[in-house]
DNA sequence: AACAGAAACTGGTCTGACCACTGTGTTGAA
DNA sequence: TTCAACACAGTGGTCAGACCAGTTTCTGTT
């Protein structure tokens, strides 16, 4: 490999080449990447440098390597990062407050989006599900986020939920009737009503 | 190192040990970690396995390694992840819509938080800055996010901003007077006024 | 056609060599 | 006494090679 300018590390260059290759050749989740040895030859770098790049991407949850089989693009899940990042980032006392605040606001954003986007039939269907099913708070809001139809919020919420749960807040169980009331407020398309009902569920004075 | 149960890879075990060590021994940003060779001996693993673990954490932006000096805990910045994750995750046409939607809602959330948290003096001081300074849209909203005083939103917004900018949306410049009006609406503590003014800046019918 | 075994592929871990950079201590000259 | 140069010991960076373990493919026999 050509001498790196501005002393970029070889494994970083390899990560860049991999990204480029994935983009240009249109790799999808489940697709197999070239083997370590093949990339080593193709890029004229040591196999251990290729392994370093693969390891880094694997820890991110972007690829997975299987002994005897190969290296594959993964369907990304953020949950690997939560456990990792939580150790390094949110260690101060402020974290708990920020997590709570952020999770609640994103839930509210998704309620708002759901109220805007979702048809009455879909809401009715969701209400039927809410009435006839036993679910956790997470499961209920997972459905809300689905209705909001924003993949990015789904990822963020999923990460926040995992981390929020790991912090073990004291949290009174929410009565099922209150969840139903929240869905009914969505059906009413009344923003203030939705807001009031969500605040009740989360014990907030306002949002 | 003891034989890994359920075939966990050695570098993953090393990452776990590092996380544990950082937590238990209370490492801070800027602190130096034990050297590759020392960890190799201490954990009874190959130096290349330690390097794999370090590389992975470095790519995440959690540590940095400097030749001849050592390995240090970094003050985390999400911006390394944006460039990386964007390639693998948000590749479908939906991404653009989701990014816009999410960024705008987080900006709104932070406006709302700022309106709740910030004293009139702070707002006045910010208004003075806004009047007397030349700034970009990003710089203006960076200050809003600072006023919201939520580290998590700051990180999320920073990541979203970078990615949003990389997508190169057509975006008309905002008149400085409109930024000032937004600050004034904050000073009025009138949520509807804040909302209206933000919608004007972002060309939204509602939020 | 089916099956068993060999071969070739894959990733996983490690050792060792050597290079390049940095920091520290020592030494000799001014 | 001070300062510059040098040696040394530490650090990370890259690589080759060896060997192991799992999976897939190929080949020969029945």
């Amino acid at each position: 490999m050509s001498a790196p300018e501005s002393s970029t590390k070889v494994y970083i260059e390899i990560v860049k080449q991999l990204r480029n290759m994935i983009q240009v050749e249109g790799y999808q989740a489940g697709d197999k990447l070239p083997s370590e040895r093949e990339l080593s030859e193709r890029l004229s770098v040591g196999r251990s440098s290729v392994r370093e790049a693969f390891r880094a991407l694997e820890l991110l949850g972007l690829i997975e390597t299987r002994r005897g089989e190969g290296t594959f693009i993964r369907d990304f899940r953020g949950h690997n990062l939560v456990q990792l990042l939580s150790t390094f980032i949110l260690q101060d006392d402020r974290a708990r407050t920020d997590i709570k605040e952020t999770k609640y606001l994103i839930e509210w954003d998704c309620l708002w989006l759901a109220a805007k986007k979702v048809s009455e039939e879909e809401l009715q269907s969701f209400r039927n599900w809410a009435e006839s099913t036993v679910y956790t708070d997470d499961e209920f809001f997972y459905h809300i986020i689905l209705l909001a139809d924003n993949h990015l919020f789904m990822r963020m919420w999923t990460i926040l939920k995992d981390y929020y749960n790991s912090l073990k807040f004291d949290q009174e169980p929410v009565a099922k009737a209150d969840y139903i009331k929240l869905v009914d407020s969505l059906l009413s398309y009344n923003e203030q009503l939705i807001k009031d009902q969500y605040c009740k569920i989360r014990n907030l004075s306002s949002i």
Side-chain angles (χ1 to χ4, degrees), chain A:
Chain A
M1 199 168 204
S2 56
E5 277 162 49
S6 66
S7 297
T8 313
K9 291 160 179 171
V10 167
Y11 89 98
I12 292 289
E13 294 301 322
I14 296 168
V15 166
K16 285 175 181 170
Q17 297 254 16
L18 286 168
R19 280 178 56 215
N20 194 59
M21 197 183 77
I22 287 164
Q23 272 179 313
V24 168
E25 295 176 41
Y27 279 82
Q28 304 293 329
D31 287 353
K32 187 176 167 182
L33 290 167
S35 70
E36 292 176 0
R37 290 173 177 86
E38 188 183 328
L39 279 174
S40 169
E41 272 187 50
R42 196 194 290 187
L43 304 179
S44 304
V45 295
R47 191 188 151 215
S48 56
S49 298
V50 174
R51 287 183 61 80
E52 285 178 354
F54 273 167
R55 290 306 201 199
L57 293 173
E58 186 177 39
L59 195 66
L60 278 167
L62 302 173
I63 64 168
E64 71 181 305
T65 68
R66 301 187 219 125
R67 182 198 289 201
E69 294 184 60
T71 305
F72 303 84
I73 305 284
R74 281 188 68 177
D75 193 3
F76 181 75
R77 294 280 183 275
H79 57 267
N80 279 4
L81 290 172
V82 176
Q83 199 184 20
L84 220 83
L85 297 178
S86 64
T87 302
F88 293 83
I89 302 169
L90 302 168
Q91 281 172 340
D92 48 288
D93 294 331
R94 283 293 316 278
R96 294 174 73 84
T97 305
D98 286 355
I99 283 284
K100 223 176 188 180
E101 199 170 70
T102 310
K103 178 177 185 279
Y104 292 173
L105 281 164
I106 285 183
E107 280 173 355
W108 166 248
D109 287 339
C110 289
L111 279 165
W112 186 84
L113 284 171
K116 282 187 40 133
K117 288 185 182 181
V118 174
S119 71
E120 197 166 335
E121 293 96 303
E122 278 178 280
L123 277 173
Q124 198 56 44
S125 178
F126 175 54
R127 190 187 194 285
N128 293 342
W129 172 86
E131 277 225 313
S132 58
T133 311
V134 176
Y135 42 83
T136 62
D137 186 86
D138 286 345
E139 282 164 336
F140 178 83
F141 280 96
Y142 173 79
H143 273 87
I144 295 286
I145 320 286
L146 273 182
L147 291 174
D149 195 32
N150 180 314
H151 293 168
L152 205 52
F153 268 140
M154 174 57 81
R155 286 188 197 99
M156 287 177 169
W157 180 80
T158 303
I159 291 169
L160 284 168
K161 168 184 65 75
D162 289 344
Y163 193 71
Y164 180 99
N165 289 338
S166 78
L167 293 171
K168 294 178 169 49
F169 288 102
D170 268 330
Q171 196 164 306
E172 302 215 347
V174 177
K176 186 167 179 173
D178 286 337
Y179 290 121
I180 304 297
K181 279 176 186 166
L182 182 57
V183 183
D184 284 339
S185 66
L186 284 171
L187 276 159
S188 78
Y189 296 95
N190 184 324
E191 184 175 320
Q192 190 58 49
L193 210 58
I194 302 168
K195 187 173 291 189
D196 290 344
Q197 195 51 47
Y198 180 70
C199 285
K200 187 186 178 195
I201 285 176
R202 289 283 181 248
N203 266 326
L204 302 169
S205 54
S206 70
I207 201 166

